[in-house]
Amino acid sequence: MRHDRCAMKVGTDGVLLGAWAFTGIGEESFHVLDVGSGSGVIALQLAQRFDRVQLLGLEIDPAAAEQAQENFENSPWSNRLSMLQQDAQDFVPEAGFDALVTNPPFYQENVSSGDPSRDQARQLSSLPFEALFGLADRSLKDGGRLALVSPACEEEWIRSLARKAGFGLRRFCRVRGHSTARVKRLLWEFVKASEDAFEEEELTLEVSRGEYTEEYRALVASFYLKM
């Protein structure tokens, strides 16, 4: 898989989400929308994990969308993956999806990096969380799932937005770099038109620098050639 033409490269956040999201969907056919697909890594992970999942990647940046399409075509799951180059805020689905997954832009820089594609991929203003829940509401069937990753500092804000949009929390994971580090990331899985009834988890990535915990290895090892 290649990501050299993508403003945001493959990183821990996306790989974690692709490995963690939608556990327990079983063998049923499942249609997933991957918003802000970038290189397509999350869609590829889900295709690897679930044999009957069909995925549509949605990506605003033309270069990233083109590279994701190439990655899809070169994968063993090419018949179940497709890509659409479009702004997510303008997307209107023809039919409801069973799930939506996203590693959204969530940095709040007020100053441009000088690279419009990188700013678009990183900065919250390009897809605010309010717009993301609106997209999930119009794209998902009742009972559909929304999975995303966020900074830990946005916890209360995201909980509030989910309640207002009619999404109940199903799974929730706090992620820290090592045992004494602060929680840095949150993994969320919501259900449309549902009350909160969630399992809370915690994941620590490293025992020490470069030495990964067994639980992290078990979650992501199948997506790396060497770990």
Side-chain angles (χ1 to χ4, degrees), residues 33 35 58 86-100 126-142 144 146 165-167 192-193:
L33 179 65
V35 175
L58 195 63
Q86 185 179 342
D87 186 339
Q89 298 196 58
D90 297 330
F91 179 68
V92 179
E94 295 180 1
F97 287 84
D98 298 296
L100 186 156
S126 64
L127 184 62
F129 284 116
E130 299 95 324
L132 176 58
F133 277 97
L135 172 63
D137 185 46
R138 68 177 183 268
S139 299
L140 292 174
K141 301 174 182 177
D142 285 345
L146 165 63
F167 283 81
K192 184 178 179 182

Side-chain angles (χ1 to χ4, degrees), residues 26-41:
E27 295 298 318
E28 72 268 24
S29 181
F30 207 68
H31 289 80
V32 179
L33 179 65
D34 175 20
V35 175
S37 196
S39 64
V41 62

